[in-house]
């Protein structure tokens, strides 16, 4: 019996790094700003798919609420960029507030006068919310489909809050910061290679960090809990604690996606917390293969690529097409594209000796060396 | 002798039905106790009550004098109580090796385990365990693909990997061949003395091989307790197990 290169750690790292290097080289080939911006958007979607892959594929927790973290971070970033445009002395209040008859800047907005504080809150608030929400769910041992329902209900609640709190969020219209992000004395033009590189850089850094985390004992225990939470509990692990941590990390990833998103679209509205959007993230991860971070990234690029190249009439029924893709994957490719690749590579001889010997060759020596 | 485990008046009611009823049990250090009884006698439920999987309706459980009655599963596990389930529970998508690795629980917290980079940390220990339970040629196989007997071995191995001082085994030989059963009794006899074991079993020849003292449960209560010959000659026990044939 030969090993499968798909399971070789070194080969995996090479594949991940190769994909990110390729992505980083794109601006040297295409200099069309619209293509770059489009691909930057896909990178953001890919990061969302990575967050779904982590929580669902590895953690066994089907969260339909990743849009909460994405949306909260989007608003955080929108507020930060909006306040960069306002002048604290002459013009401290965004114009949509004036039309909503606010006379002073709401307390909620005050911290965003400072860009560093605003950026920190953009990441911290969604992550903190996932910690609290996670404690409430997992402490009570909510599991399976009930997690899906609870996260969905919470997402719907945040959506209507963003929609209804007109004076603070501009409601349905959303916030459109007039200027691109100003940072380090320059600005990040959404259509520039710089913006693209930031998005790909964030995706690469966070994906590689997540992959490294999954290779630690923590990552192994998270997957063990996915397989049998009770067994893990009887080995002495505090299952709820692990679930809260992995849920919060997935929220952290989705928050970074929200930050990058508003940087490249200069706009935030309640659509960032639409139910259909959060469900789409799950489909991207499923298509790519939820048990592979790289698979999830490829799934996000593929599905969104398909969507952009469909004609206008087909856009009307996009959710139907997406549903059909999802059903097809569930029926014929339950482990997604990554699973297909695993199957193909299993036909290719790799490594030496029986599986027992391969363990020491692969993990023993390799890990001792690192 | 010091008692490792002490159950006093342990009771568990499901609405009207009382599954375990005023059950008393004392197990001493280094002893191997067999828990016997017909199906539905309340053996598994008793293990659930000891390990915190179910809450007691009344009564108390003490481990080395500490009250563990109201502790959670993971707290009790950390006190050195390991358990093998009646329906084998392993991590199906993880390899056999990774199952052992997860059961090697030197660090318990998530953040502490983020710093544990090498998965081979438990290697020395699981080489010992593989000596004992076998599976050495199946290390890379996902646990979900093991045969029933192998799964039983894996779970026993995982409990050993956890290195508890009190081991609770719920029907460990179910689905095993005769040789496998014989090997299991060797392992248990080896563990006896350094570990304390409670073994739920049906197979009388297996019980004869391993037991010091046998506790017989019936309808949630203690029916009889004694050495193997005392139990085999106990007329009440014979009656419960239907007729003159005795328990085997
Ligand atoms: N969760 C439960 N709800 C209702 N009845 C239960 C539950 N768990 C066990 N029982 C009942 O308690 C009795 C004892 O079961 P159990 O402890 O599994 O028996 P044993 O392991 O000795 O065969 C059985 O009659 C069973 O039906
Ligand atoms: Mg039972």
């Amino acid at each position: 019996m030969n090993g499968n290169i798909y399971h070789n750690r070194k080969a995996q790292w090479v594949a991940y790094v190769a994909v990110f290097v390729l992505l980083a080289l794109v601006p040297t080939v295409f200099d069309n700003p619209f293509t770059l911006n489009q691909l930057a958007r896909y990178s953001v979607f890919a990061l969302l798919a990575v967050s779904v892959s982590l929580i669902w594929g590895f953690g066994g927790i089907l969260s339909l609420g990743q849009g909460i973290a994405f949306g909260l971070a989007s608003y955080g970033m929108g507020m930060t960029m909006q306040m960069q445009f306002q002048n604290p002395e002459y013009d401290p209040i965004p114009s949509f507030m004036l039309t909503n008859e606010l006379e002073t800047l709401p307390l909620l907005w005050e911290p965003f006068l400072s860009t560093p504080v605003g950026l920190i809150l953009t990441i911290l608030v969604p992550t903190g919310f996932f910690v609290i929400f996670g404690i409430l769910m997992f402490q009570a041992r909510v599991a399976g489909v009930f997690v899906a329902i609870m996260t969905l209900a919470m997402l719907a609640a945040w959506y209507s809050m963003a929609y209804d709190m007109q004076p603070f969020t501009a409601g349905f219209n959303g916030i459109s910061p007039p200027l691109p992000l100003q940072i380090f004395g320059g600005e990040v033009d959404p259509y520039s290679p710089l913006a693209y590189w930031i998005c790909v850089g964030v995706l690469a850094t966070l994906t590689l960090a997540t992959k490294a985390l999954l290779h630690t004992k923590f990552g192994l225990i998270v997957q063990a809990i996915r397989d049998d939470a009770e067994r893990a509990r009887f080995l002495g692990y505090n299952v709820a604690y692990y679930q809260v941590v992995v849920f919060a990390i997935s929220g952290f990833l989705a928050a970074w996606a929200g930050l990058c998103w508003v940087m490249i679209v200069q706009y935030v509205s309640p659509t960032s917390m639409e139910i259909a959007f959060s469900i789409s993230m799950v489909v991207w991860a499923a298509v790519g293969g939820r048990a592979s971070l790289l698979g999830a990234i490829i799934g996000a690029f593929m599905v969104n690529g398909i969507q952009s190249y469909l004609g206008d009439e087909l856009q009307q029924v996009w959710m139907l097409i997406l549903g059909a893709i999802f059903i097809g994957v569930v029926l014929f490719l339950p482990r997604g594209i990554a699973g297909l690749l695993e199957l193909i590579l299993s036909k290719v001889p790799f490594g030496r000796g029986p599986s027992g010997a391969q363990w020491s060759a692969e993990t023993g020596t390799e890990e001792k060396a690192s | 002798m010091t008692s490792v485990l002490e159950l006093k008046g342990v009771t568990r009611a499901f609405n009207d039905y009382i599954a375990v009823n005023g059950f008393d049990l004392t197990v001493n250090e280094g002893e191997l106790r067999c828990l016997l009884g017909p199906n539905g006698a309340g053996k598994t439920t008793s293990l659930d009550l000891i390990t915190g999987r179910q809450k007691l309706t009344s009564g108390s459980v003490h481990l080395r004098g500490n009250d563990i009655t109201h502790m959670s599963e993971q707290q009790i596990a950390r006190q050195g109580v390991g358990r093998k389930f009646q329906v084998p529970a392993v991590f199906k998508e993880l390899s056999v090796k990774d199952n052992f690795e997860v059961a090697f629980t030197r660090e318990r917290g998530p953040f502490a385990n983020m710093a544990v980079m090498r998965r081979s940390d438990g290697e020395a220990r699981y080489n010992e365990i593989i000596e004992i339970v076998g599976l050495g040629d199946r290390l890379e196989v996902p646990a979900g693909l093991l045969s029933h007997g192998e799964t039983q071995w894996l779970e026993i191995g995982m409990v050993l990997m956890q290195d508890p001082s009190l081991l609770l085994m719920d029907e460990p030989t179910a689905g095993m061949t005769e040789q496998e059963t014989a090997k299991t009794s060797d392992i248990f006899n080896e563990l006896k003395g350094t570990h304390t074991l409670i073994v739920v079993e049906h197979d009388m020849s297996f019980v004869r091989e391993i037991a010091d003292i046998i506790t017989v449960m019936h309808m949630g209560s203690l029916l009889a307790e004694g050495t193997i010959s005392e139990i085999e000659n106990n007329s009440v026990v014979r009656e419960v197990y239907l007729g003159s044939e005795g328990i085997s």
Side-chain angles (χ1 to χ4, degrees):
Chain A
M1 191 174 128
N2 282 301
N4 184 342
I5 193 169
Y6 182 89
H7 297 127
N8 182 280
R9 290 261 176 93
K10 257 181 206 156
Q12 290 174 0
W13 285 109
V14 169
Y16 275 67
V17 171
V19 166
F20 294 132
V21 168
L22 274 178
L23 280 176
L25 290 177
V26 166
T28 61
V29 184
F30 298 103
D31 49 6
N32 179 342
F34 292 95
T35 312
L36 274 192
N37 185 262
Q38 181 92 314
L39 288 174
R41 290 175 190 218
Y42 291 178
S43 308
V44 170
F45 295 151
L47 184 52
L48 289 170
V50 167
S51 103
V52 171
S53 168
L54 173 66
I55 191 67
W56 183 35
F58 292 91
I61 297 162
L62 176 54
S63 164
L64 299 180
Q66 298 308 97
I68 300 169
F70 177 82
L72 286 178
S74 293
Y75 274 96
M77 190 62 174
M79 288 155 83
T80 306
M81 285 166 65
Q82 180 69 43
M83 292 319 285
Q84 288 186 330
F85 172 77
Q86 309 300 140
N87 184 313
E89 312 235 329
Y90 315 109
D91 179 22
I93 305 175
S95 56
F96 76 85
M97 289 183 188
L98 297 173
T99 54
N100 280 288
E101 287 161 5
L102 279 191
E103 265 142 40
T104 53
L105 190 67
L107 203 60
L108 179 71
W109 277 72
E110 291 274 353
F112 295 89
L113 274 164
S114 150
T115 298
V117 173
L119 291 177
I120 289 169
L121 288 176
T122 295
I123 300 301
L124 216 58
V125 170
T127 310
F129 178 76
F130 268 48
V131 170
I132 296 165
F133 189 29
I135 290 173
L136 289 174
M137 280 193 299
F138 302 124
Q139 218 26 41
R141 296 200 184 169
V142 176
V145 69
F146 296 101
V147 174
I149 294 169
M150 279 182 77
T151 47
L152 198 67
M154 185 58 81
L155 177 69
W158 277 107
Y159 175 84
S160 50
M161 201 136 70
Y163 200 100
D164 290 340
M165 300 220 317
Q166 180 93 12
F168 303 95
T169 63
F172 172 74
N173 295 323
I175 303 163
S176 325
L179 292 175
L181 177 67
Q182 315 286 309
I183 198 151
F184 300 128
E187 70 171 27
V188 183
D189 174 0
Y191 291 88
S192 64
L194 175 64
Y196 172 83
W197 276 320
I198 292 175
C199 291
V200 169
V202 167
L203 173 66
T205 309
L206 292 177
T207 304
L208 294 175
T210 305
K211 180 159 178 60
L213 188 65
L214 285 168
H215 285 321
T216 68
K217 179 110 182 219
F218 167 81
L220 187 61
I221 294 166
V222 164
Q223 294 171 71
I225 290 171
R226 168 196 67 198
D227 285 2
D228 192 334
E230 179 135 86
R231 176 75 270 178
R233 219 172 262 138
F234 281 90
L235 291 171
Y237 294 113
N238 187 337
V239 166
Y241 192 5
Y242 276 84
Q243 289 176 322
V244 170
V245 171
V246 74
F247 187 57
I249 295 172
S250 83
F252 174 82
L253 298 178
W256 273 98
L259 184 153
C260 292
W261 180 252
V262 175
M263 181 184 79
I264 54 170
V265 302
Q266 253 179 277
Y267 175 63
V268 52
S269 78
T271 51
S272 60
M273 294 196 270
E274 254 175 5
I275 285 174
F277 183 51
S278 281
I279 291 177
S280 303
M281 300 171 200
V282 172
V283 179
W284 305 332
V287 169
R290 64 185 149 116
S292 161
L293 302 178
L294 190 56
I297 291 173
I298 291 168
F301 272 87
M302 269 191 48
V303 176
N304 285 291
I306 293 171
Q307 184 180 4
S308 330
Y309 286 99
L310 289 182
D312 280 344
E313 319 87 74
L314 287 175
Q315 294 292 353
Q316 304 288 317
V317 291
W318 171 245
M319 282 316 281
L320 270 178
I321 298 171
L322 191 65
I325 293 175
F326 184 62
I327 292 169
V329 165
V330 167
L331 287 180
F332 302 109
L333 265 187
R335 299 177 72 85
I337 295 165
L340 184 67
L341 185 69
E342 181 182 8
L343 189 71
I344 292 167
L345 290 176
S346 72
K347 313 280 187 228
V348 182
F350 169 76
R352 51 203 147 112
S355 54
Q358 206 211 315
W359 164 262
S360 49
E362 186 184 311
T363 316
T365 49
E366 181 186 313
E367 283 186 351
K368 264 163 208 147
S370 61
Chain B
M1 275 213 266
T2 46
S3 77
V4 173
L5 185 70
E6 193 168 8
L7 273 63
K8 279 194 220 136
V10 166
T11 300
R12 170 71 206 198
F14 298 108
N15 301 319
D16 294 345
Y17 184 77
I18 302 175
V20 177
N21 193 358
F23 184 46
D24 293 327
L25 178 73
T26 304
V27 181
N28 293 318
E29 192 78 58
E31 183 188 340
L32 191 156
R33 175 70 58 98
C34 270
L35 196 53
L36 239 65
N39 268 333
K43 306 179 296 291
T44 298
T45 308
S46 298
L47 297 191
D48 284 350
L49 294 168
I50 295 168
T51 53
R53 188 168 182 238
Q54 293 188 33
K55 296 291 156 224
L56 283 74
T57 308
S58 63
S60 68
V61 182
H62 284 81
L63 183 73
R64 297 203 169 76
N66 295 327
D67 190 348
I68 60 164
T69 315
H70 302 290
M71 285 188 183
S72 67
E73 297 97 320
Q74 70 263 19
Q75 283 171 320
I76 294 170
R78 290 176 196 198
Q79 307 280 316
V81 179
R83 173 172 185 183
K84 197 212 146 305
F85 289 90
Q86 183 168 350
V87 179
V90 297
F91 305 117
K92 290 201 169 72
E93 288 189 40
L94 302 187
S95 66
V96 167
K97 186 184 160 104
D98 282 346
N99 270 270
F100 284 131
E101 193 60 49
V102 173
F104 182 75
T105 53
R106 207 174 47 193
E107 297 285 355
R108 251 76 175 241
F111 293 104
N113 274 317
M114 284 181 192
V116 182
M117 287 306 290
R118 291 154 153 210
R119 285 200 186 166
S120 48
D121 259 20
E123 198 146 24
R125 172 117 191 97
Y126 86 61
N127 284 335
E128 279 172 46
I129 306 289
I130 287 164
E131 277 295 278
I132 301 173
V133 302
L135 298 173
D137 54 343
R138 306 282 273 159
L139 286 179
E140 296 302 322
V141 177
L145 299 182
L146 295 180
S147 72
H148 185 75
E150 286 174 322
T151 311
Q152 294 276 46
W153 282 114
L154 174 59
E155 203 189 7
I156 292 173
M158 286 164 72
V159 174
L160 294 177
M161 195 80 191
Q162 189 189 348
D163 202 18
S165 56
L166 174 65
L167 289 86
L168 310 177
M169 301 282 182
D170 203 345
E171 309 202 9
T173 65
M176 281 190 181
T177 64
E178 222 163 280
Q179 288 111 309
E180 287 172 330
T181 305
K183 203 167 154 192
T184 310
S185 65
D186 289 347
I187 295 172
F188 287 5
N189 281 322
E190 185 92 359
L191 292 169
K192 191 156 81 175
T194 51
H195 295 77
T196 309
L197 291 96
I198 299 177
V199 181
V200 172
E201 259 303 337
H202 282 306
D203 181 351
M204 272 312 290
S205 60
F206 179 70
V207 170
R208 262 185 225 108
E209 288 292 321
I210 58 167
D212 297 320
I213 302 178
I214 297 171
T215 297
V216 185
M217 285 187 84
H218 182 51
M219 296 175 70
S221 308
L222 179 73
L223 183 72
E225 196 165 282
T227 62
I228 187 114
S229 58
E230 283 167 1
I231 294 299
E232 280 180 320
N233 296 315
N234 185 314
S235 56
V236 189
V237 174
R238 280 165 169 260
E239 205 165 299
V240 166
Y241 273 93
L242 288 175
S244 52
E245 284 169 51
I247 14 188
S248 51

